[in-house]
Amino acid sequence: MSSLEEVARRISVCVDCSLSKNRTHAVPGEGPADAEIMMIGEGPGFHEDKQGRPFVGPAGRFLDQLIASAGLDRKQVYITNVVKCRPPNNRDPLPGEIAACRKHLDRQIELVNPKAVATLGRFSMARFIPNQTIGKVRGKARSVEGRLIYPMYHPAAALHNQNLRKVIEDDFKAISTLAKQAVRQPPADDPPGEQLNMFSSGGP
Ligand code: URA
């Protein structure tokens, strides 16, 4: 599998779990192939399933505001989900569905090789930080598999809860600074060489 387009093609014909049966469109994800920041949500909802694009419904509009508040443009960010097909009635994705979809997400992470991954909600948090609660780990960047991971609440959870809303707004403001400080990892298929530090020295 060589490119993000090829991953998207594979996702569009994937029948490795039962979510494929009811999809209108699979939702592979979108954004620049060399994005410094990747955001990973849970799974497509009604609007995403209809359009084949991630975060285009109400949670997506809030996500756009949050991205703008971080001084970024949505077009700079690679946005995807843990599962690429809509769970019926927006139920939580099941462990088997997440496991079946993991190869697609893993390949997207490998290809984009972002400096920082912002996880949106508990399912994408669990991909990097298992057995934790989001309330405990949110807003604290850490290195996982040599990459900066920044767990945040899901925008949909924060949309109608004023307390969570303030927390997610504050967490978002830190993300561009974090990404600036992080150093991109060597591509996965590079020959082993000098190891880079997680954070740049901040020097000239
Ligand atoms: N919620 C998600 O987690 N992902 C989407 O793409 C839309 C809503």
Side-chain angles (χ1 to χ4, degrees):
M1 216 194 286
S2 59
S3 69
L4 286 171
E5 288 76 28
E6 178 59 12
V7 182
R9 193 196 62 76
R10 288 193 182 205
I11 291 169
S12 70
V13 295
C14 180
V15 288
D16 289 351
C17 82
S18 62
L19 294 183
S20 60
K21 290 193 192 132
N22 296 315
R23 72 180 169 224
T24 314
H25 293 107
V27 182
E30 63 186 24
D34 61 350
E36 293 193 343
I37 300 171
M38 178 181 273
M39 293 185 179
I40 307 175
E42 182 176 316
F46 175 86
H47 298 280
E48 291 76 21
D49 172 73
K50 291 280 173 265
Q51 296 185 39
R53 296 183 55 214
F55 282 99
V56 289
R61 281 193 290 281
F62 184 40
L63 180 64
D64 291 350
Q65 284 175 27
L66 291 165
I67 291 173
S69 76
L72 297 165
D73 191 304
R74 179 177 167 128
K75 293 194 191 75
Q76 294 173 258
V77 179
Y78 194 88
I79 301 176
T80 188
N81 283 302
V82 170
V83 295
K84 315 299 188 193
C85 298
R86 183 189 181 205
N89 302 315
N90 298 343
R91 67 154 166 74
D92 290 346
L94 301 174
E97 294 160 355
I98 295 172
C101 224
R102 181 169 168 141
K103 57 187 171 293
H104 300 308
L105 178 61
D106 284 354
R107 188 62 181 142
Q108 288 173 321
I109 296 168
E110 200 182 350
L111 285 167
V112 176
N113 190 20
K115 285 167 131 190
V117 172
T119 62
L120 308 175
R122 61 200 162 101
F123 292 98
S124 64
M125 174 200 71
R127 156 67 181 76
F128 300 95
I129 313 168
N131 307 316
Q132 270 294 357
T133 57
I134 196 152
K136 274 206 184 127
V137 300
R138 58 131 280 275
K140 294 180 200 130
R142 62 172 77 190
S143 171
V144 179
E145 300 161 11
R147 201 182 308 280
L148 190 146
I149 306 299
Y150 189 56
M152 286 190 270
Y153 283 119
H154 192 285
L159 198 50
H160 304 295
N161 176 326
Q162 281 309 313
N163 294 334
L164 291 191
R165 193 183 172 113
K166 173 87 179 78
V167 174
I168 199 173
E169 282 170 353
D170 289 346
D171 287 351
F172 254 83
K173 287 188 184 123
I175 196 167
S176 46
T177 312
L178 284 170
K180 271 190 203 113
Q181 290 169 349
V183 172
R184 211 188 277 272
Q185 294 300 295
D189 51 359
D190 256 16
E194 196 185 328
Q195 286 299 304
L196 295 173
N197 289 325
M198 192 66 218
F199 296 97
S200 64
S201 64

